[in-house]
């Protein structure tokens, strides 16, 4: 079975500071990894995904994530936070084998302070 | 805008009632997934349909059922509603069922059971 752990349910950063949201996964097969963002009262929007190939993945809005197999991690970063980045961020793993659904972490609420 | 539409946006009903949530996938997408988002359970996979056929079930209660119609829209039926069923219900779609395919999420239906 696959699982995802997001460390820190709430993260606060100052505008212009580095954003680092942590995600660790568990999977018995090579994982497919995703980061989604959810703005208030909206659905989930894909930020980036890792399938195969390059381990550093660039996404929208200046975000990127690095797949580290040895650490079973897929942390999300952004060099300089913007007020508009305030949202909830979800890390997800899957599909795998015959299962096609995504397994989500519990989410990290990002607050950007002026 | 992901291209996935869900109706209604909000639904308020009483315990014991039955409701139907509707989802229209993106044009050309054959797979439809339903997820439930609640404060205590997070984002949980409910059920997956592909081209009209049920492909996988997750943590879906027996009081809940779903179907995908020939025009590929899907409905999630929730019956004998309980207070604990109050949640945000998301529909997501993808082109097919290949591994690593991203899922596009609708804006969700917020269900409140009083």
């Amino acid at each position: 079975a696959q699982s995802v752990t997001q460390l820190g349910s709430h993260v606060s950063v100052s505008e212009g500071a580095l954003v680092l949201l942590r995600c660790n996964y568990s999977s018995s097969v090579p994982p497919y990894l995703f980061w989604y963002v959810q703005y208030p009262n909206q659905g989930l929007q894909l930020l980036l995904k890792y399938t195969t190939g390059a381990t550093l993945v660039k996404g929208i809005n200046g975000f990127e994530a690095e797949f580290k197999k040895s650490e079973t991690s897929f942390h999300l970063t952004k060099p300089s936070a913007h007020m508009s980045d305030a949202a909830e961020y979800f890390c997800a793993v899957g599909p795998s084998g015959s299962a096609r659904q995504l397994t989500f972490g519990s989410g990290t609420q990002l607050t950007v302070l002026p | 805008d992901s291209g996935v539409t869900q109706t209604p946006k909000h639904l308020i009903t009483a315990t014991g009632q039955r409701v139907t949530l509707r989802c229209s996938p993106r044009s050309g997408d054959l797979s439809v997934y339903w997820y439930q988002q609640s404060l205590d359970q997070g984002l949980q996979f409910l059920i997956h349909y592909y081209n009209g056929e049920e492909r996988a079930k997750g943590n879906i209660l027996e009081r809940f059922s779903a179907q995908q119609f020939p025009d590929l829209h899907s409905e999630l039926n929730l019956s004998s509603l309980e207070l604990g069923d109050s949640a945000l219900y998301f529909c997501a779609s993808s082109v097919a069922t290949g591994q690593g395919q991203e899922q596009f999420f609708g804006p969700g239906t917020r269900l409140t059971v009083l």
Side-chain angles (χ1 to χ4, degrees), chain A residues 21-59:
Chain A
L21 305 182
R22 301 178 186 273
C23 171
N24 288 89
Y25 68 90
S26 172
S27 178
S28 58
V29 296
Y32 297 89
L33 295 160
F34 305 79
W35 275 100
Y36 282 85
V37 61
Q38 184 179 25
Y39 297 102
N41 300 314
Q42 293 187 29
L44 282 75
Q45 179 185 5
L46 182 70
L47 278 177
L48 49 81
K49 68 175 182 179
Y50 168 78
T51 53
T52 59
T55 57
L56 182 62
V57 180
K58 294 188 185 297

Side-chain angles (χ1 to χ4, degrees), chain A residues 96-112:
Chain A
S96 171
S98 60
R100 290 293 181 261
Q101 66 271 18
L102 298 177
T103 300
F104 286 88
S106 54
T108 297
Q109 182 67 47
L110 175 66
T111 300
V112 182

Side-chain angles (χ1 to χ4, degrees), chain A residues 100-101, chain B residues 23 25 29-35 45-58 60 64-70 72-77 91-97 103:
Chain A
R100 290 293 181 261
Q101 66 271 18
Chain B
C23 166
D29 284 1
L30 299 177
S31 269
V32 170
Y33 305 80
W34 286 97
Y35 293 86
F45 165 70
L46 295 178
I47 198 163
H48 170 212
Y49 275 84
Y50 174 74
N51 203 21
E53 293 186 4
E54 181 186 303
R55 284 297 184 95
K57 275 187 174 180
I60 187 166
F64 295 2
S65 65
Q67 58 186 114
Q68 187 179 25
F69 294 86
L72 301 177
H73 90 272
S74 178
E75 292 182 356
L76 179 67
N77 301 295
C91 164
S93 74
S94 64
V95 172
T97 61
Q103 295 177 17

Side-chain angles (χ1 to χ4, degrees), chain B residues 68-103:
Chain B
Q68 187 179 25
F69 294 86
D71 67 352
L72 301 177
H73 90 272
S74 178
E75 292 182 356
L76 179 67
N77 301 295
L78 316 177
S79 61
S80 302
L81 285 168
E82 302 175 0
L83 296 177
D85 297 328
S86 295
L88 197 51
Y89 291 84
F90 286 111
C91 164
S93 74
S94 64
V95 172
T97 61
Q99 293 185 348
Q101 288 191 353
E102 63 187 90
Q103 295 177 17

